[in-house]
Amino acid sequence: MSNGMSMAPAIDTTRLTRHFGALVAVDALTIAVPASTIFGLLGPNGAGKSTTIKMLTTLLAPTSGSAHVAGADIVRDAPRVRERIGYVPQMLSADGELSGYENLLISAKLHHVVSAERQTRIEQALAFMGLTEAASALVRTYSGGMIRRLEIAQAMLHRPAVLFLDEPTVGLDPVARRVVQDHIREVRRESGTTVVMTTHDMDEADELCDTLAIMHHGRVSATGSPASLKATVGSEATLDDVFIHFSGGTLDEGGGYRDVVRTRRTARRLG
Amino acid sequence: MLSAPAARPGVWANAGAAAHFVGDTLTIAEADWRKLRHDPVELLVRAVQPALWLVVFGQVFGRIRDIPTGAISYRDFLTPGVLAQSGLFVAIFYGISAIWERDLGVLQKYMASPVSRVALVLGKGLSAGVRGVSQGVIVFLLSIFLRVDLRFELGAMVGVLAAIVLASAVFATLSLIVSCLVKTRERMMGIGQVLTMPLFFASNAIYPVDLMPGWLRVISAINPLTYQVDALRSLMIVGGTSVHGLGIDFAVLAGFLALFVAIGSRLYPSLVA
């Protein structure tokens, strides 16, 4: 980025912790995400990925520990964090009852993009995401891949320093998935935005991410580039092997009922 | 640590907080207004209930000469009550849409944006006001058709709009508070039902407060709907009078709104946590 942030990490957390009653969802998490990289957060359901994203996007207060996102403290300076991030939740957050253009317009206004810039940026975003022709159609008529592209465009209108994508390709067919992945790469290349994403797709993590952190029971069990992680496990290892190795390899994790319902609902709406 | 806030081109970094607040509140309401424009059928469907109240209930109860409605007929007495009720029935279920937006992820996105929580809640209130006004227009048209003795004065009509917007915002923010506490659509649906009937019947909407037993009068006196109807009766109907005075009516409604927005903006973030 042009503003001198490239040297400092885009995100750093220090013993970031969140309890839910007796459950420790995130346990003394300490990570640093270099600026202008794509950072993948992996782990089984219930490992603490979503809770981590919620804390970093200021939706949930930590129980203890601290974190800085794009230079601002997530607790003391939450409004500043919100100015500097873009967020695409796992659920389909584009409004189906509005057109693609209207979704972008509302996002631009809520992120305080000046009125003189709004039209240009919306048109650019639509062209960039290949949605110009569908701009005036209601989003509920869009395909899953179109909705995801629209959502990423919405989250990028105010040129955030950090973009959070929670399972951006879940439920998409292989072609749509490929298109969304290409756009994530493009976003990073064109704007230098740091991308933090979660995924269950190991091929995607391998191809897309510069750095990975594998979470297990609220802690980071391994971190590094996909290549270095594979080398740690074995010379022939795939990222699947890495995942199984560092997340305990057991089937009894499962995730909560609500997680599963939410993922299925998202998948159904995308499909 | 990272450098000082970097200038972000094309973003209102230095606009006053007040300007942002007003703009954000209007934008939240604008999103709802645009949805309503895409689906105007919803408005027509919602017109059925007030029409039934005016035509069926009003015609029958108008024959009971014993209801003391002062200088005006029962039909004229009832009309502001039905107008207020039609707005109440829409606004009191607003919390369901908040939970729906949480389930869709829309709310998470709003909460992670620079919009203040107060603007998010007030914007929802305002959008309920917009719906309330569109309901009001329908009841107004119905009343013309039913030959209700309406006041067609600009000042009074502006007052009617203000009372509708304010009261709809009061009930929508109350609903939002409840939705933050119960957290599921199903529960909210039930509680909405439980809330509407006491609010409606323990008010001056369909009969004068003087007919009520003492305990019900106490509830009526702390019921925002009473003050809305009281204001509407004097602003809408020729010869209609306000028991409390318009100043008190609007002050009470504004007070409720301030209270509910303050509580709602504290609780709203808990929906996405």
Side-chain angles (χ1 to χ4, degrees):
Chain A
M1 296 197 50
S2 57
N3 53 20
M5 283 190 182
S6 49
M7 292 302 111
I11 295 173
D12 66 281
T13 72
T14 310
R15 301 189 60 76
L16 192 65
T17 301
R18 174 69 203 202
H19 296 198
F20 291 105
L23 176 79
V24 185
V26 175
D27 188 4
L29 186 79
T30 301
I31 52 169
V33 178
S36 298
T37 60
I38 302 181
F39 186 86
L41 213 46
L42 311 182
N45 290 327
K49 306 185 299 288
S50 289
T51 306
T52 303
I53 298 253
K54 275 187 184 176
M55 287 193 282
L56 296 178
T57 52
T58 75
L59 296 183
L60 184 69
T63 307
S64 64
S66 67
H68 292 84
V69 174
D73 186 289
I74 58 164
V75 177
R76 274 169 307 185
D77 216 0
R80 185 131 290 152
V81 171
R82 294 180 197 130
E83 286 172 6
R84 297 179 184 176
I85 62 170
Y87 174 42
V88 180
Q90 184 199 328
M91 305 82 98
L92 295 184
S93 60
D95 204 315
E97 305 306 312
L98 295 175
S99 71
Y101 170 81
E102 287 173 321
N103 267 286
L104 288 163
L105 181 68
I106 299 292
S107 283
K109 287 184 175 185
L110 293 181
H111 282 98
H112 307 149
V113 176
V114 292
S115 45
E117 278 272 316
R118 255 180 238 147
Q119 290 308 321
T120 323
R121 287 201 188 180
I122 291 173
E123 278 161 28
Q124 282 171 355
L126 286 167
F128 177 65
M129 291 293 175
L131 294 170
T132 305
E133 286 191 4
S136 59
L138 290 185
V139 168
R140 70 172 128 89
T141 65
Y142 283 22
S143 70
M146 289 165 80
I147 295 178
R148 274 299 186 227
R149 268 141 54 206
L150 176 68
E151 288 176 329
I152 295 171
Q154 279 180 271
M156 288 300 296
L157 282 171
H158 57 293
R159 313 284 188 257
V162 182
L163 176 64
F164 290 92
L165 304 172
D166 200 352
E167 298 197 33
T169 60
V170 70
L172 295 182
D173 66 58
V175 177
R177 180 175 307 188
R178 177 66 53 185
V179 174
V180 168
Q181 288 167 351
D182 288 345
H183 278 93
I184 294 171
R185 244 183 239 114
E186 278 293 295
V187 160
R188 193 266 303 266
R189 189 160 57 226
E190 295 229 325
S191 61
T193 298
T194 308
V195 178
V196 175
M197 58 183 282
T198 64
T199 182
H200 282 296
D201 181 337
M202 292 305 124
D203 292 334
E204 175 171 292
D206 203 352
E207 284 180 35
L208 212 50
C209 299
D210 303 303
T211 314
L212 300 173
I214 298 176
M215 287 188 76
H216 185 52
H217 291 319
R219 294 167 168 272
V220 170
S221 52
T223 184
S225 68
S228 69
L229 286 174
K230 282 185 280 190
T232 316
V233 174
S235 55
E236 298 281 292
T238 65
L239 209 54
D240 278 324
D241 300 329
V242 174
F243 182 85
I244 293 162
H245 181 84
F246 286 109
S247 59
T250 49
L251 276 173
D252 59 2
E253 302 293 333
Y257 173 74
R258 275 183 62 172
D259 287 336
V260 176
V261 168
R262 194 196 306 133
T263 310
R264 291 221 175 130
R265 188 192 294 140
T266 304
R268 196 163 56 232
R269 294 188 68 215
L270 282 162
Chain B
M1 212 47 263
L2 290 178
S3 56
R8 290 171 312 140
V11 177
W12 284 111
N14 297 317
H20 276 332
F21 179 77
V22 173
D24 293 345
T25 304
L26 292 175
T27 304
I28 296 294
E30 180 190 348
D32 240 48
W33 164 242
R34 285 176 177 273
K35 280 187 234 179
L36 199 58
R37 265 196 342 195
H38 287 302
D39 190 14
V41 178
E42 187 197 328
L43 280 180
L44 290 176
V45 172
R46 287 192 193 277
V48 172
Q49 202 177 27
L52 287 175
W53 275 97
L54 283 178
V55 176
V56 181
F57 185 86
Q59 296 294 316
V60 175
F61 268 61
R63 287 167 195 262
I64 307 175
R65 307 282 154 150
D66 283 349
I67 302 176
T69 52
I72 58 176
S73 70
Y74 183 73
R75 183 197 57 198
D76 290 6
F77 177 89
L78 177 69
T79 304
V82 169
L83 193 155
Q85 177 244 41
S86 71
L88 165 70
F89 279 24
V90 175
I92 206 70
F93 290 101
Y94 242 65
I96 295 178
S97 77
I99 295 170
W100 179 236
E101 286 183 356
R102 188 271 317 266
D103 291 345
L104 291 182
V106 176
L107 188 57
Q108 283 82 338
K109 217 168 48 178
Y110 285 0
M111 288 283 175
S113 82
V115 177
S116 78
R117 273 64 179 135
V118 177
L120 285 177
V121 173
L122 195 59
K124 277 290 170 200
L126 187 62
S127 70
V130 171
R131 275 173 201 253
V133 166
S134 45
Q135 292 273 292
V137 169
I138 290 171
V139 175
F140 229 85
L141 295 176
L142 272 170
S143 328
I144 294 171
F145 181 71
L146 293 171
R147 299 172 186 277
V148 173
D149 209 356
L150 294 169
R151 282 176 70 183
F152 291 103
E153 295 148 54
L154 186 64
M157 285 170 123
V158 171
V160 169
L161 290 182
I164 296 174
V165 171
L166 207 48
S168 300
V170 167
F171 297 121
T173 46
L174 171 65
S175 178
L176 205 71
I177 290 171
V178 177
S179 71
C180 293
L181 299 174
V182 304
K183 291 190 163 59
T184 72
R185 260 175 289 161
E186 293 76 10
R187 284 186 221 148
M188 190 59 219
M189 199 91 87
I191 289 177
Q193 308 274 13
V194 169
L195 279 175
T196 43
M197 286 306 151
L199 281 169
F200 184 41
F201 289 120
S203 82
N204 55 353
I206 51 175
Y207 32 66
V209 174
D210 298 339
L211 291 181
M212 295 177 183
W215 62 270
L216 200 55
R217 270 188 227 190
V218 174
I219 299 177
S220 163
I222 53 167
N223 182 351
L225 193 71
T226 296
Y227 297 89
Q228 183 195 8
V229 174
D230 193 51
L232 289 178
R233 211 158 262 152
S234 84
L235 290 166
M236 270 180 79
I237 305 297
V238 176
T241 48
S242 160
V243 175
H244 302 287
L246 287 177
I248 298 282
D249 289 335
F250 278 97
V252 169
L253 291 174
F256 270 114
L257 182 59
L259 177 69
F260 290 163
V261 169
I263 300 173
S265 56
R266 279 294 187 88
L267 294 178
Y268 210 15
S270 70
L271 261 189
V272 298

